[in-house]
């Protein structure tokens, strides 16, 4: 069960309050490359990305957000845009004019505790006035010297850093806040987010939404596994309202991984699901080739889950909640299931794929 959180409106999207967990990514271009940034945002949106974040190193970069936003909207792309700010309060104020959400890093937004309210409160007031959202985004590797001296480079330090900035928001009666606490190691990332959720509840704060990600996860298999461990553990806890799978690759590659992760966690369904056993000495057909054939034939049925099981042992009892099942019944024979009920028994394997297609059509599930 997802934890209940308040709704944070980001442009035409809602994060939290039971809305589908939003998938986001980040451009790799400089905002000064306006056309390159627009091109990448359009590509991300076409891939299914639901929020695009743009790095804004300087005030001059922030000023380019106006043109980027205008060109993105003229291209028919409506996903919210977010600016990523470090070290530059002036850039953060400029970004508020042009994008729907601004991420600030408490570790380097300003120096000195006494300056937090002085610098951050006016920013919060401006966000409130313009109807923007703020992401308080803490990174394990960029805590302020003051926090490091008191708490060390720890999940507790990350939480304390976020809570300082939350206190300013609450003093300004501003609740359009999303938290993210990221680390390059899943263990620290998970611990920090769990602790933050506990502290919000124990402190009587509103249940704010969380953005999840393992920062600097890497590329290829490493990046995907780290992200699945960190993000997946928290999703199972019920924590998380928006996610990014950070990969050292074309950002478009992040999107299908994020949706696959959400589907594996049972939170969003965006493609056909295939359940198959690993095979063993009981398997009654060549499992890998048959599974590949089933996927090829039925992968367009995004609403369905289909199980391919090598024998009756791994059949109805272990097909979880599959809609249909293709199960080895004897040498060269297949039994088809609807749910856990056998509905076509001992079909010759050469006819089984056609029979499964006919069964799905008979049950009016082919075009659903």
């Amino acid at each position: 069960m997802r934890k209940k959180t308040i709704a944070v409106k980001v442009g035409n999207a809602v994060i939290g309050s039971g809305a589908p967990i939003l998938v986001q990514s980040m451009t790799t271009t400089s905002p000064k490359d306006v056309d390159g940034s627009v091109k990448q945002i359009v590509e991300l949106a076409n891939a299914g990305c639901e929020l695009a974040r743009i790095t804004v190193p300087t005030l001059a970069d922030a000023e380019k957000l106006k043109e980027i936003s205008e060109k993105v909207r003229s291209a028919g792309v409506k996903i919210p845009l977010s600016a990523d700010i470090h070290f530059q309060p002036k850039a953060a104020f400029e970004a508020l004019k042009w994008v729907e959400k601004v991420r600030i890093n408490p570790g380097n937004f300003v120096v000195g505790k006494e300056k937090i309210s002085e610098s951050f409160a006016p920013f919060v007031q401006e966000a409130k006035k313009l109807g923007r959202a703020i992401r308080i985004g803490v990174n394990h590797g960029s805590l302020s010297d003051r926090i490091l001296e008191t708490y060390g480079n720890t999940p507790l330090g990350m939480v304390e850093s976020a809570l300082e900035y939350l206190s300013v928001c609450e003093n300004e009666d501003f609740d359009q806040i999303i938290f993210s606490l990221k680390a390059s190691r899943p263990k620290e990332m998970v611990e920090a987010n769990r602790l933050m959720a506990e502290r919000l509840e124990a402190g009587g704060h509103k249940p704010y939404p969380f953005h999840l990600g393992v920062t600097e996860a890497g590329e290829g298999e490493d990046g995907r596994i780290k992200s699945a461990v960190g993000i997946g553990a928290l999703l199972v806890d019920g924590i998380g309202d928006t996610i990014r799978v950070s990969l050292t690759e074309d950002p478009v590659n992040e999107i299908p991984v994020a949706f696959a992760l959400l589907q594996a966690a049972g939170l969003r369904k965006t493609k056909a699901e295939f359940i198959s056993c690993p095979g063993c000495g009981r398997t009654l057909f060549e499992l890998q080739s048959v599974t590949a054939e089933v996927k090829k034939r039925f992968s367009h049925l995004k609403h369905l889950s289909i199980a391919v099981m090598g024998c009756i042992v791994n059949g109805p009892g272990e097909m979880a909640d599959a809609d249909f099942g293709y199960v080895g019944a004897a040498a060269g024979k297949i039994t088809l299931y609807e749910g856990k009920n056998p509905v076509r028994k001992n079909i010759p394997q050469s006819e089984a794929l056609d029979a499964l297609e006919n069964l799905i059509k008979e049950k009016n599930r082919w075009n659903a």
Side-chain angles (χ1 to χ4, degrees), residues 1-5 16-19 21 190 193-194 197 201 207-212 230-243 262 265-267:
M1 294 291 291
R2 283 176 66 189
K3 292 183 181 296
K4 292 183 179 179
T5 61
S17 190
I21 293 174
V190 170
N193 281 276
R194 285 175 174 166
E201 185 174 354
Y208 298 101
F210 280 65
H211 167 68
L212 306 181
I231 297 171
L234 290 165
L235 291 176
V236 170
D237 284 352
I239 298 170
D241 302 278
T242 170
I243 69 170
L262 290 174
L267 292 163

Side-chain angles (χ1 to χ4, degrees), residues 23-29 33-53 68 71-73 75-79 81 249-256 259:
V23 169
Q24 59 179 277
S25 184
M26 187 172 181
T27 62
T28 57
T29 53
D33 177 9
V34 171
D35 290 338
S37 298
V38 170
K39 179 176 181 291
Q40 201 166 80
I41 292 167
V42 171
E43 289 172 348
L44 283 168
N46 289 339
C49 179
E50 296 164 322
L51 183 150
R53 183 159 49 107
I68 290 172
K71 288 192 171 185
V72 166
R73 301 306 176 218
V77 172
K78 298 179 180 179
I79 64 170
L81 302 179
E249 300 176 22
D250 185 323
V252 167
N253 293 349
E254 298 176 356
I255 308 307
F259 278 111

